[in-house]
Amino acid sequence: MFRPMVLEFKPQGIYCPAGDFFIDPWSPVDRALITHGHADHAREGHNRYLATDIAAPVMRHRLGDITLDTMPYGEVREIGGARVSFHPAGHIPGSAQIRVEVGGEVWVVSGDYKTTPDRLSTPFEPVRCHSFITECTFGLPVFTWPSEEETAAEINAWWAANAATGTYSLLGAYSLGKAQRLLSLLDPAIAPILTHGAVEATNAILRGQGLHLPDTTHVTPELDPKTHPGALILAPPGVLAGNWARRFRPASTGFASGWMRLRGVRRRRSVDRGFVMSDHADWAGLNEAIKSTGAENIYPTHGYTDIFARWLSDQGYNAQPVPTEFTGEMLEEDGA
Ligand SMILES: [Zn+2]
Ligand SMILES: [Zn+2]
């Protein structure tokens, strides 16, 4: 039986010849379908963008005046000879898997995904396909996530204990996605919640889309920390060790990431507390997601591609690793 190559791997990224478009391309192209607004997926310089309606406001904020068309989850559109639709990936609000069908052959590009629900993102939905291009950021058995409730209880207990001794809690989190997910889990009864400008900008966008987040106070130069005793401060991880954070003394620092599962990474991060929480699927989630697609061809990308492809081959899949541009930086960009 003839099976058309629905998607190809080109130097610019994943390409669909039948529809003449790319998915999350790395370098400028004419037409780009974007799984979600993180910087390693939604890049500058494309002529035309297509994404979900929920992902659009953040993309406009990050990329400025772009030509951006949107589609709701589940709607089907013909692009050239391809039928295209977006399906929830459960990674951050608006994140999508992209389904492409050509001549009855179905491929799905997962983008980044998380199989367990949170309070903000549309929950992940498996999509049946013949070929599945899957991220595998945490594609090793060591990566198992505690439940969101467990992690939330741990973070709130850490914060409450700090507040009780007049200590600030500095919590590092990527400004799009992870920060808002943490916010949705914090107990505002403990003390005030303060935010770095990068986090607050994304908060404002998501609140404007109707997502509920607890009240936060933006840390401006005029803000007097003394008027916010015991506060938890949410900021991008990069600013925790710098001048910006120095006004909050004494402080305990924390970082929430899937990488906190690894002791060596916890040490290198030199934070007081590491919380295991990721916006990506863990080992069990990846395996479960792949199984539920019913796909026979699996293309692992974005992570431990070689090891994961070998594992999948042993499980009887037709698995082929796909090189990604930024594998060396993966450790720094959980949540991205
Ligand atoms: Zn990513
Ligand atoms: Zn992402």
Side-chain angles (χ1 to χ4, degrees):
M1 191 179 90
F2 172 70
R3 304 188 66 170
M5 196 68 183
V6 175
L7 298 173
E8 294 173 357
F9 303 104
K10 292 213 174 197
Q12 301 99 313
I14 300 167
Y15 178 66
C16 175
D20 190 21
F21 59 79
F22 285 84
I23 296 177
D24 292 354
W26 302 313
S27 44
V29 300
D30 178 43
R31 190 169 207 166
L33 275 54
I34 304 293
T35 59
H36 65 291
H38 278 146
D40 55 327
H41 298 261
R43 304 200 182 215
E44 288 178 351
H46 309 310
N47 277 341
R48 292 178 286 172
Y49 294 77
L50 178 61
T52 67
D53 48 349
I54 306 174
V58 157
M59 284 177 60
R60 287 209 174 86
H61 167 73
R62 280 205 38 245
L63 299 171
D65 187 20
I66 54 172
T67 306
L68 171 59
D69 197 357
T70 64
M71 273 167 69
Y73 288 129
E75 189 179 293
V76 178
R77 189 179 294 190
E78 311 270 346
I79 302 179
R83 287 166 62 83
V84 171
S85 52
F86 290 72
H87 303 269
H91 170 61
I92 61 168
S95 66
Q97 310 173 71
I98 300 180
R99 180 188 189 275
V100 184
E101 181 180 342
V102 177
E105 190 74 11
V106 179
W107 286 50
V108 169
V109 178
S110 77
D112 293 341
Y113 66 96
K114 172 170 63 58
T115 50
T116 51
D118 58 53
R119 298 176 185 191
L120 300 174
S121 316
T122 312
F124 176 87
E125 280 173 21
V127 182
R128 304 285 296 179
C129 56
H130 301 103
S131 298
F132 186 43
I133 302 176
T134 177
E135 68 127 323
C136 59
T137 307
F138 293 106
L140 293 179
V142 65
F143 294 111
T144 54
W145 309 152
S147 74
E148 192 168 78
E149 292 68 35
E150 282 172 79
T151 307
E154 246 185 84
I155 294 172
N156 283 317
W158 165 73
W159 178 21
N162 291 338
T165 60
T167 303
Y168 292 105
S169 300
L170 280 166
L171 185 55
Y174 294 95
S175 52
L176 167 56
K178 184 67 70 62
Q180 290 74 33
R181 190 170 158 211
L182 286 167
L183 259 179
S184 77
L185 299 171
L186 294 175
D187 176 4
I190 296 173
I193 304 170
L194 308 182
T195 50
H196 181 273
V199 171
E200 196 52 34
T202 314
N203 289 353
I205 293 166
L206 296 188
R207 282 188 183 117
Q209 292 179 258
L211 290 170
H212 177 75
L213 299 172
D215 290 341
T216 50
T217 303
H218 178 196
V219 176
T220 57
E222 298 76 38
L223 180 130
D224 180 4
K226 287 195 201 71
T227 58
H228 299 83
L232 180 141
I233 302 101
L234 260 183
V239 309
L240 289 192
N243 269 329
W244 185 88
R246 214 159 285 163
R247 73 193 85 179
F248 300 104
R249 288 264 171 86
S252 176
T253 52
F255 184 58
S257 163
W259 298 109
M260 293 296 109
R261 192 70 185 72
L262 303 178
R263 202 171 295 123
V265 177
R266 278 203 300 274
R267 261 200 310 273
R268 277 205 299 285
R269 275 280 177 186
S270 66
V271 287
D272 301 316
R273 283 294 297 274
F275 302 103
V276 178
M277 194 177 99
S278 177
D279 301 333
H280 295 262
D282 67 2
W283 171 254
L286 287 171
N287 280 283
E288 191 186 289
I290 288 166
K291 200 171 162 202
S292 55
T293 63
E296 49 191 283
N297 307 310
I298 313 292
Y299 299 91
T301 182
H302 211 335
Y304 296 98
T305 50
D306 292 352
I307 303 172
F308 196 58
R310 230 170 300 141
W311 157 260
L312 291 172
S313 300
D314 289 346
Q315 307 308 304
Y317 293 101
N318 208 343
Q320 204 76 245
V322 180
T324 0
E325 206 186 34
F326 284 113
T327 40
E329 293 175 35
M330 292 302 297
L331 233 124
E332 297 305 316
E333 54 160 348
D334 168 40

